[in-house]
Amino acid sequence: MKSEQEIIRKVSDFVSEAMQKHDSGHGWSHIERVVRLAMHIQECEGKGDRFTVELGALMHDIGDHKFAAHDGPAEIRRLLGSLGADAFVTGEVVNINENISFSKGKNNIAKSDELQIVQDADRLDAMGAIGIARAFNYGGFKGREIYDPHAGYTTPLTPANNSRNSASTVHHFYDKLLVLRDLMNTPTGRKLAEERHEFMVRYLDQFFREWNPSE
C-alpha cells in the first residue's frame, strides 16, 4: 500500500486531469478550495478522519452529471483500489461522492462526519463572492440569461424537490444558493455560511437597484 501522501498526490493528479472538461467554476481551482475548506472545518470541528476528508473533497465531483457520463463511484473504486487504499476509506469516499450533491436530493440519509464536512465545504464554495462568480460563469457556459424579468419566482428548490431548471442565473440564487445557509451540517459550516449568505443578499439588492434604477 502506498503512503497517505502518495495516495493524495496520485489522486490529485487524476482529479486535475479529470476536471479539464469542466467550466472554470467547477474545475481544479474549485476542488482546491473545497479541499482547503474541508480541512479547515475538520480541524475546527475535531471530528472525522482527516485523510478520508481530504480524499472525499478531492473526488467529490468525479462523475458529475453536468459534465461526465462515466460512473463516478466506479472510477473512485478503481483508482483507490489500484493505490491500495483501505476498503473502509474507499467506501466512505464513494459515499461522499454519491451523496454530496444538492441536486441528488438525498438529505434524509444518516450522514457520516466526513460527508457532513465535505458537503459543507462544497456548499460554501457555492456561496459568497466566489459563489456569485461561479454562478454567472456557469450560466454563461450554459447560455443562460443573466436575469429574466418576465419569469416569475416560485417556491425555492430543496434537496427533495430539485428538478426545476432556473429561469436565469439570478433566479438560481433564489432557487438554490440562498437556501444553502440553512442546510449546513456543522457549527463551523453554519458560521462561515452566514457571512457568505449576507454578501449574496447585499449583491442582489445592488443588482436590482441597477436593473431598475427608477424604482
Side-chain angles (χ1 to χ4, degrees), residues 151-197:
Y153 292 92
T154 56
T155 303
L157 296 178
T158 65
N161 173 31
N162 54 56
S163 60
R164 186 173 74 247
N165 289 321
S166 297
S168 71
T169 298
V170 167
H171 280 80
H172 182 63
F173 281 80
Y174 295 93
D175 289 341
K176 176 184 176 182
L177 304 186
L178 294 174
V179 177
L180 295 175
R181 178 187 61 177
D182 296 329
L183 297 177
M184 292 293 150
N185 300 298
T186 67
T188 303
R190 287 190 287 273
K191 180 180 178 180
L192 294 172
E194 192 65 40
E195 180 182 11
R196 296 183 185 217
H197 179 89

Side-chain angles (χ1 to χ4, degrees), residues 59-134:
M59 305 189 84
H60 78 275
D61 269 348
I62 295 297
D64 187 334
H65 68 90
K66 295 189 295 297
F67 305 100
H70 61 270
D71 186 337
E75 286 287 302
I76 291 169
R77 290 190 179 96
R78 181 197 61 76
L79 177 60
L80 294 183
S82 72
L83 297 173
D86 179 80
F88 181 82
V89 171
T90 298
E92 184 52 43
V93 174
V94 168
N95 179 51
I96 291 168
N97 178 270
E98 289 182 318
N99 294 293
I100 191 172
S101 176
F102 181 96
S103 65
K104 292 181 181 177
K106 296 179 180 178
N107 205 39
N108 59 343
I109 65 167
K111 298 178 183 177
S112 66
D113 291 339
E114 292 80 7
L115 172 56
Q116 290 183 47
I117 289 167
V118 179
Q119 189 174 63
D120 278 4
D122 188 40
R123 288 174 172 175
L124 284 164
D125 202 54
M127 302 176 69
I130 287 175
I132 291 170
R134 291 182 68 212

Side-chain angles (χ1 to χ4, degrees), residues 22-27 29-31 33 61 125 133-134 137-138:
H22 292 206
D23 78 297
S24 62
H26 293 83
S29 60
H30 163 65
I31 301 299
R33 290 191 303 272
D61 269 348
D125 202 54
R134 291 182 68 212
N137 182 82
Y138 185 69

